Amino acid sequence: MATALEINQVSKTFKNDRGGVHVLDHLDLTVQEGEFVSVIGPSGCGKSTLLKLIAGLDSDFHGQIAVGDHEVHGPSIDRGFIFQEHRLFPWLTVEKNIAGNLSLRDPEVRSKVNHLIALVNLGGFEKAYPRQLSGGMSQRVAIARALLRNPKVLLLDEPFGALDAFTRAHLQEALHDIWEKNKTTMVLVTHDIDESVYLSSKVVVMDAKPGRIKAVVPIDLPYPRTRSSKAFQEFRTVILEHLDHKPSEPDDFSI
Amino acid sequence: MTTITLAENKENTLKRKKRSWDRGLALFRALFLPVVALLVWEVLTRLGALPSLLFSSPSLILTRAVNLISTGKLWEHMEISLFRALLGFLLGGGLGLAFGIIVGMNRKSEQYINPSFQMIRTIPLLAITPLFILWFGFGELSKILLISLGSFFPLYLQAFLGIRNIDNKLFEVARIMEYTRLQQITKLMIPSALPNILLGVRLSLSVAWMCLVAAELLGADKGIGYMIQDARSFMQTDTVFVGIIIFALAGKLSDSFVRVLEEKLLRWQDSFKA
Ligand SMILES: Nc1ncnc2c1ncn2[C@@H]1O[C@H](COP(=O)(O)OP(=O)(O)OP(=O)(O)O)[C@@H](O)[C@H]1O
Ligand SMILES: [Mg+2]
């Protein structure tokens, strides 16, 4: 299997008037094509920052990030991004939001959009505006929008964090189906241990201040996974232990 | 089932009837004062309590309006006024929109341009008018430039504000989807700033009418403002009133036009209530 994403010695410091906040510290991570990787860690450990670096939204960092054979220098459609908020354009209807800067008059785009609307279960809402959608529906539109561009890697930053438990479970299911079908490489940031064990082929546990990778836990359970199964619970415990375990904690996070 | 539906139906019809009755009542109440005022005005002038030479009367004004329309005189004046207002608005408003977008997009151009514009904005337009007349004479140019200058600022300010208020998070989305710079302008900035821009259009239009009146009162040989000024010197109070009514109507009409545009273009807005 080929490498989809290679993160090599990546460090990131946000400059401020007191010098700076050292957010990521010499991070190394390799993600194979078709892998589903979850990143979990305490709030403020730099998960969103890491995703933004991979997306190319922020190029002010040390180290290298490569997607496929190309080093990342800026945003590109080979990396899709789904944010915690849906970030739809409020003035566009559902289908136009999905199409974005592509024209729906192009028959190829049209048929892809139709297909995606069916995939995320939004038939009948093509012409609705974002304000007419629920949170879960909006997030599904955002997923469809990201998928339309056939990204090599899909980056998800707590995409279901703001949703109720039912909608979340439903969308996790949908995301899993998409992954199985399209074999898109996924990098999912989450706070939800269940979600990470349920979906991913490996879970990356991060440490805060500065953000480091503490452990990588491969989840070798067959799909579909049952949350109540013993093996599932064991993985949960392993990850929880990694999260809870605190080495000597340096208190000062500014450098 | 059916009976309930029927009963509900009846109730709904009743409700609807009540609502239209309420609306009628509201309209009646709104019109009450103006109609009474017109009647009192008419009666007082007929009785000679008000000198009709100075105060005219509703019936005199109406007769004059009909006369001005049928002789085609009104249209002659209106044509040139409309031309001035429209051209001035398009020139000033268009430039205001363009500058607002540029300055909103680019910090450096903001630092270069915005302070000067804000300074010029505070000068009362009427104070500049003599200069305009000195430089450009009493002809069309000075009038149109005055109107442009007036309608420049509201659109400039609103477009600038609209662009500045765009959520940076949406820019990130656009970058991820590889929007070109041009697409970022046409498919993100302008739609997102549209509520402000339309507000700017409305404000600019009303300023354009005001500047038109000022420009035409100061010196013109045609136009509604001139018609008013001319009528005043001949004590034709009814014509003065006709002119005032025309300006009021024009202002109201252009405002309604933008409102219709808003209704059409801003349907997506959460807060927009048609
Ligand atoms: N633009 C910024 N400027 C300065 N500091 C920032 C900026 N963005 C993030 N940070 C800092 O970087 C650290 C990591 O932020 P980040 O958003 O990546 O955390 P996170 O792991 O995503 O947290 P959460 O789970 O709460 O979303 C935080 O301490 C935050 O204060
Ligand atoms: Mg985050």
Side-chain angles (χ1 to χ4, degrees):
Chain A
M1 233 191 261
T3 307
L5 173 65
E6 175 104 46
I7 296 168
N8 189 10
Q9 292 290 303
V10 165
S11 297
K12 164 80 186 171
T13 304
F14 284 109
K15 288 166 192 69
N16 64 16
D17 23 288
R18 289 190 304 135
V21 187
H22 193 41
V23 177
L24 296 176
D25 185 44
H26 294 92
L27 232 71
D28 281 315
L29 181 66
T30 307
V31 179
Q32 303 299 331
E33 249 174 39
E35 239 184 332
F36 196 128
V37 175
S38 289
V39 180
I40 205 161
S43 181
C45 71
K47 305 182 294 291
S48 301
T49 307
L50 178 64
L51 281 198
K52 280 197 178 169
L53 298 188
I54 300 172
L57 287 173
D58 185 349
S59 356
D60 178 25
F61 63 93
H62 293 285
Q64 291 95 39
I65 297 176
V67 169
D69 311 323
H70 300 284
E71 196 163 328
V72 167
H73 286 300
S76 138
I77 51 172
D78 66 8
R79 278 151 286 143
F81 206 127
I82 296 171
F83 299 89
Q84 177 160 9
E85 333 81 54
H86 55 74
R87 299 200 187 182
L88 300 179
F89 292 172
W91 55 88
L92 294 181
T93 58
V94 164
E95 54 181 17
K96 286 187 180 158
N97 255 297
I98 297 174
N101 53 352
L102 308 174
S103 167
L104 278 168
R105 258 167 273 154
D106 179 344
E108 201 185 314
V109 174
R110 177 81 257 179
S111 81
K112 267 185 165 175
V113 168
N114 288 348
H115 168 75
L116 282 167
I117 286 176
L119 184 78
V120 296
N121 239 326
L122 278 173
F125 288 95
E126 293 85 350
K127 305 259 187 287
Y129 287 100
R131 72 178 157 88
Q132 298 166 304
L133 306 178
S134 71
M137 289 159 85
S138 306
Q139 202 54 290
R140 279 182 274 160
V141 179
I143 294 175
R145 173 172 70 180
L147 289 176
L148 176 70
R149 284 148 182 92
N150 272 329
K152 283 203 196 99
V153 180
L154 191 55
L155 309 165
L156 305 106
D157 191 0
E158 297 183 45
F160 311 138
L163 305 176
D164 66 275
F166 286 110
T167 316
R168 193 183 315 157
H170 174 74
L171 285 189
Q172 286 166 356
E173 210 60 61
L175 185 64
H176 175 77
D177 288 347
I178 289 163
W179 177 63
E180 292 233 303
K181 243 184 249 166
N182 298 3
K183 285 289 159 213
T184 311
T185 310
M186 306 268 188
V187 180
L188 169 75
V189 165
T190 179
H191 271 135
D192 182 345
I193 301 179
D194 265 16
E195 182 170 281
S196 68
V197 178
Y198 184 72
L199 291 171
S200 16
S201 36
K202 82 184 180 203
V203 176
V204 175
V205 182
M206 277 181 73
D207 198 6
K209 298 173 189 177
R212 284 203 184 102
I213 291 178
K214 208 189 218 178
V216 177
V217 184
I219 313 281
D220 39 13
L221 285 177
Y223 296 97
R225 295 172 178 170
T226 15
R227 288 182 170 87
S228 52
S229 77
K230 195 155 164 279
F232 192 102
Q233 291 302 325
E234 272 163 13
F235 277 112
R236 247 184 125 256
T237 319
V238 170
I239 293 168
L240 252 178
E241 272 166 2
H242 279 304
L243 276 173
D244 278 345
H245 172 70
K246 291 210 171 71
S248 58
E249 194 175 355
D251 231 341
D252 195 9
F253 56 86
S254 58
I255 52 162
Chain B
M1 256 326 260
T2 350
T3 46
I4 293 172
T5 335
L6 274 179
E8 270 176 359
N9 249 346
K10 200 167 170 198
E11 204 175 294
N12 278 343
T13 338
L14 278 179
K15 262 191 207 153
R16 217 171 302 136
K17 262 191 189 155
K18 176 135 186 355
R19 216 176 304 141
S20 71
W21 170 246
D22 281 350
R23 218 176 290 148
L25 206 62
L27 187 67
F28 170 78
R29 283 173 185 155
L31 287 177
F32 181 76
L33 272 184
V35 169
V36 167
L38 284 177
L39 280 177
V40 169
W41 184 6
E42 180 74 37
V43 169
L44 284 183
T45 35
R46 291 233 171 165
L47 290 176
L50 284 176
S52 64
L53 195 64
L54 276 184
F55 290 92
S56 192
S57 81
S59 61
L60 283 175
I61 294 168
L62 193 69
T63 328
R64 174 65 68 178
V66 169
N67 175 266
L68 281 172
I69 292 169
S70 60
T71 55
K73 260 205 165 133
L74 189 68
W75 177 241
E76 239 174 71
H77 290 298
M78 220 152 84
E79 210 178 6
I80 185 78
S81 287
L82 275 179
F83 168 76
R84 286 169 186 152
L86 208 68
L87 199 67
F89 166 75
L90 287 180
L91 195 70
L95 279 175
L97 181 64
F99 271 102
I101 291 174
I102 293 169
V103 172
M105 268 169 50
N106 183 318
R107 292 263 168 205
K108 213 184 263 171
S109 64
E110 179 191 352
Q111 288 164 348
Y112 270 114
I113 296 175
N114 198 38
S116 313
F117 279 180
Q118 296 294 352
M119 214 151 62
I120 299 174
R121 192 173 70 92
T122 56
I123 305 174
L125 266 178
L126 284 178
I128 313 181
T129 321
L131 266 187
F132 270 51
I133 293 174
L134 268 179
W135 292 340
F136 309 111
F138 279 101
E140 292 308 305
L141 189 62
S142 65
K143 292 183 185 59
I144 287 166
L145 284 181
L146 189 69
I147 296 166
S148 318
L149 189 65
S151 38
F152 176 86
F153 290 106
L155 249 168
Y156 166 75
L157 287 175
Q158 290 299 326
F160 173 63
L161 214 68
I163 300 279
R164 264 305 141 78
N165 283 341
I166 301 176
D167 195 348
N168 192 38
K169 293 175 169 179
L170 295 185
F171 269 107
E172 286 185 346
V173 172
R175 285 175 61 202
I176 294 229
M177 297 204 287
E178 287 190 0
Y179 276 47
T180 61
R181 194 76 186 133
L182 185 67
Q183 282 171 336
Q184 283 184 17
I185 295 173
T186 58
K187 290 180 189 253
L188 173 56
M189 295 184 188
I190 291 181
S192 180
L194 202 59
N196 282 96
I197 291 175
L198 285 175
L199 176 63
V201 169
R202 227 158 80 200
L203 296 174
S204 277
L205 270 174
S206 76
V207 174
W209 288 120
M210 265 169 16
C211 292
L212 174 74
V213 179
E216 288 187 343
L217 286 180
L218 280 174
D221 48 11
K222 238 181 198 171
I224 300 290
Y226 164 77
M227 185 182 89
I228 292 176
Q229 196 74 324
D230 191 48
R232 183 197 54 91
S233 53
F234 289 101
M235 289 290 265
Q236 291 169 338
T237 317
D238 37 11
T239 308
V240 174
F241 272 108
V242 172
I244 293 171
I245 293 168
I246 293 286
F247 275 130
L249 282 180
K252 179 76 197 142
L253 269 179
S254 58
D255 200 64
S256 310
F257 170 71
V258 183
R259 271 181 198 277
V260 170
L261 263 186
E262 283 182 338
E263 238 162 85
K264 272 196 147 31
L265 296 174
L266 302 184
R267 241 176 323 171
W268 53 270
Q269 258 193 336
D270 219 353
S271 52
F272 188 72
K273 303 256 161 28

